[in-house]
Amino acid sequence: MSTSGQRPYHHGDLRRSLIQAGSKLIEEKGLAGLSLREVARAAGVSHTAPYRHFQDKADLIAAIAQVGFEQLTDGAGKAARRHDGDPKKQFVAASVQYILFGVKHPRMAHLLFGGVINMRTAPRALKQASWAAFQLVETIINNGKRAGVFRNRDTMELAVTTWSGIHGLAQLISCGYLTRLAATHRQVETLGKMVSQLLLTGILNTDEKSEGTIHQQTSL
Amino acid sequence: MSTSGQRPYHHGDLRRSLIQAGSKLIEEKGLAGLSLREVARAAGVSHTAPYRHFQDKADLIAAIAQVGFEQLTDGAGKAARRHDGDPKKQFVAASVQYILFGVKHPRMAHLLFGGVINMRTAPRALKQASWAAFQLVETIINNGKRAGVFRNRDTMELAVTTWSGIHGLAQLISCGYLTRLAATHRQVETLGKMVSQLLLTGILNTDEKSEGTIHQQTSL
DNA sequence: ACCTGAACACCGTTCAAGT
DNA sequence: ACCTGAACACCGTTCAAGT
């Protein structure tokens, strides 16, 4: 990945290295185990060097969170794209992927949704990354509405309700509040499908005559 | 509340004082602003005194979280009890209360659901307090099923789905991801009602002939 | 431009000692 | 039984100084 072979006194791409080291530390030990000094150590640099690239610890955390959001949205987006043309399947597939992210990366999920980051004062790039997740939901909802499969209600209302459901389940699992129902990867997948199916019934168009009609879709 | 007036060398009820001071600190500055030393200072005691009452910092945090869970469940339970006999209203009222808790006490909500606490190793009292929240949902769902208003599906499935939805919304709001939709107290209440109503339609019994029949209810 | 080392004010935790 | 003070190994952050 490096464009040049030299790496003398100047590290080269210290910013990226610090983000990477920080992500790894968070995955392994959680936010409480993340110290600026240890990140610097892991990158092989003095403990004050990070201040050339980040304003403070919160700024590094924001950069790590941004990467986390991108991974989350990417995964769910890819899952949805595998079912283009079938909004119901898109919804379930993206939901299951979202939930699995929380199970596979619980500490990252806590970083993104545990109140660690103040979104009001967050860097623009982080805000944009977090909005992308919501936009994905909106796109799927709109596809379903155009196809006549989903209710013709305000997109925002349907999106907030379903996103809340999926997000809440992911959070409850990754916090360990549902260990009895969702211990294994397989159980999580089953529970995710079940909940997203049930959420789906809440937003389905009960007027079935229009279903099946093919409308123009917004691509993901 | 104190049973005796004396408070000489021994503090008297230091444990309770520390929990109270800790709760206050968390509400004001968040978990990051909570230090054992400052809690001790606030209680007017040396920085090592807390170790007589708590194993370590995590143990104090668990005690604070337990109080938080009790407040959360109490609030939602009281709201539900105001609508005994009407499971739909019970569901919406308890949901709105749950969501409002997250808005009024965002830092406490983050403590309870932000992955700070390891539920696998948590003290028994904390585990029990967290289960009570889930049991409240189950009770309301069962009331609705008995009355024939809710679908006759597995209670756990309906409870997990609806709790996820309510919890997810509360979390998204308290993290600041929905500031545009839910800025004021009034907007939060409206959004909460909307989402819980929509979640409700997903679990309503569509076979309407049985509705209205009065069955025996489990009291809260 | 980028990195370092000393310095400061904080932590959590331990332990011998006091009342 | 309950609390204290010194001590230890850590933090985040600042700042003058080095390459």
Side-chain angles (χ1 to χ4, degrees):
Chain A
M1 292 293 177
S2 60
T3 50
S4 80
Q6 59 179 354
R7 199 175 0 142
Y9 177 75
H10 294 333
H11 186 285
D13 200 355
L14 182 54
R15 192 187 149 86
R16 196 187 309 275
S17 296
L18 292 169
I19 293 174
Q20 217 157 42
S23 298
K24 202 179 157 202
L25 267 172
I26 286 200
E27 297 275 6
E28 285 168 359
K29 307 203 277 177
L31 182 70
L34 180 83
S35 80
L36 220 39
R37 287 170 108 108
E38 195 167 349
V39 170
R41 245 175 271 141
V45 101
S46 89
H47 68 272
T48 55
Y51 286 90
R52 288 292 128 195
H53 301 276
F54 302 97
Q55 227 171 13
D56 52 19
K57 192 184 179 184
D59 197 29
L60 169 63
I61 289 174
I64 295 170
Q66 186 190 328
V67 176
F69 265 116
E70 287 161 1
Q71 288 172 344
L72 172 61
T73 311
D74 272 17
K78 274 182 191 158
R81 246 173 273 118
R82 268 181 233 120
H83 298 279
D84 262 334
D86 189 336
K88 284 200 239 177
K89 278 191 184 171
Q90 281 197 319
F91 178 78
V92 174
S95 298
V96 169
Q97 206 57 35
Y98 190 104
I99 291 158
L100 283 176
F101 179 86
V103 175
K104 284 190 248 178
H105 311 287
R107 316 220 198 241
M108 183 60 85
H110 297 144
L111 176 60
L112 303 185
F113 300 107
V116 180
I117 298 154
N118 188 338
M119 287 315 275
R120 269 164 284 278
T121 60
R124 188 195 313 275
L126 176 57
K127 284 184 185 170
Q128 283 174 343
S130 78
W131 290 337
F134 190 56
Q135 281 166 351
L136 175 64
V137 184
E138 282 188 319
T139 304
I140 295 175
I141 297 283
N142 275 329
N143 283 346
K145 279 168 69 179
R146 284 213 195 76
V149 185
F150 295 169
R151 295 181 168 226
N152 194 21
R153 273 183 70 157
D154 183 60
T155 298
M156 187 277 289
E157 294 187 1
L158 298 178
V160 168
T161 305
T162 50
W163 188 31
S164 292
I166 298 308
H167 171 72
L169 179 61
Q171 198 72 0
L172 289 177
I173 293 174
S174 66
C175 280
Y177 290 108
L178 300 178
T179 41
R180 289 164 175 204
L181 307 176
T184 69
H185 180 102
R186 190 123 196 90
Q187 279 179 311
V188 169
E189 210 171 329
T190 306
L191 189 63
K193 273 185 194 165
M194 194 271 291
V195 169
S196 53
Q197 290 276 12
L198 201 47
L199 285 172
L200 205 50
T201 67
I203 67 166
L204 281 185
N205 189 354
T206 48
D207 180 13
E208 292 183 41
K209 69 187 172 205
S210 60
E211 187 165 357
T213 315
I214 303 301
H215 295 72
Q216 185 191 341
Q217 283 205 14
T218 303
S219 70
L220 296 163
Chain B
M1 290 292 178
S2 61
T3 50
S4 81
Q6 59 179 355
R7 200 175 0 142
Y9 177 74
H10 296 331
H11 186 283
D13 200 356
L14 183 53
R15 192 187 148 87
R16 195 188 309 274
S17 296
L18 292 169
I19 294 174
Q20 217 157 42
S23 299
K24 202 179 158 204
L25 267 172
I26 285 201
E27 297 275 6
E28 285 169 359
K29 307 202 276 178
L31 183 69
L34 179 84
S35 79
L36 220 38
R37 285 170 109 108
E38 194 166 350
V39 170
R41 245 175 273 141
V45 100
S46 89
H47 67 272
T48 56
Y51 285 91
R52 286 294 128 193
H53 300 275
F54 301 98
Q55 227 170 13
D56 51 20
K57 193 184 179 184
D59 197 30
L60 170 62
I61 290 175
I64 295 169
Q66 186 190 328
V67 176
F69 265 116
E70 286 162 1
Q71 289 172 343
L72 172 60
T73 311
D74 272 17
K78 272 180 192 158
R81 244 173 275 119
R82 267 181 234 121
H83 298 278
D84 264 334
D86 190 335
K88 284 201 238 178
K89 278 191 185 170
Q90 280 197 320
F91 178 78
V92 174
S95 298
V96 169
Q97 205 57 35
Y98 190 103
I99 291 159
L100 283 176
F101 179 87
V103 174
K104 283 190 247 177
H105 311 286
R107 316 221 197 241
M108 183 59 85
H110 296 144
L111 176 60
L112 303 185
F113 300 108
V116 180
I117 298 154
N118 188 338
M119 287 313 276
R120 269 164 284 279
T121 61
R124 188 193 314 275
L126 176 56
K127 284 184 187 173
Q128 283 174 343
S130 77
W131 290 337
F134 189 56
Q135 283 166 350
L136 175 63
V137 184
E138 282 188 319
T139 304
I140 294 175
I141 297 284
N142 275 329
N143 283 346
K145 278 168 71 179
R146 284 213 195 79
V149 186
F150 296 170
R151 295 181 167 225
N152 194 20
R153 273 183 70 156
D154 183 63
T155 299
M156 186 276 288
E157 295 187 3
L158 298 178
V160 168
T161 305
T162 49
W163 188 30
S164 292
I166 298 309
H167 171 71
L169 179 62
Q171 199 72 0
L172 289 177
I173 292 174
S174 66
C175 280
Y177 291 108
L178 299 177
T179 40
R180 289 164 175 205
L181 308 175
T184 69
H185 181 102
R186 191 123 194 90
Q187 279 179 311
V188 169
E189 209 169 331
T190 306
L191 189 64
K193 272 185 194 166
M194 195 270 292
V195 169
S196 53
Q197 290 276 13
L198 201 47
L199 286 171
L200 206 51
T201 67
I203 66 166
L204 280 185
N205 190 354
T206 49
D207 179 14
E208 292 183 39
K209 70 186 173 205
S210 61
E211 187 166 356
T213 316
I214 302 301
H215 295 74
Q216 184 191 339
Q217 282 206 16
T218 304
S219 71
L220 296 162

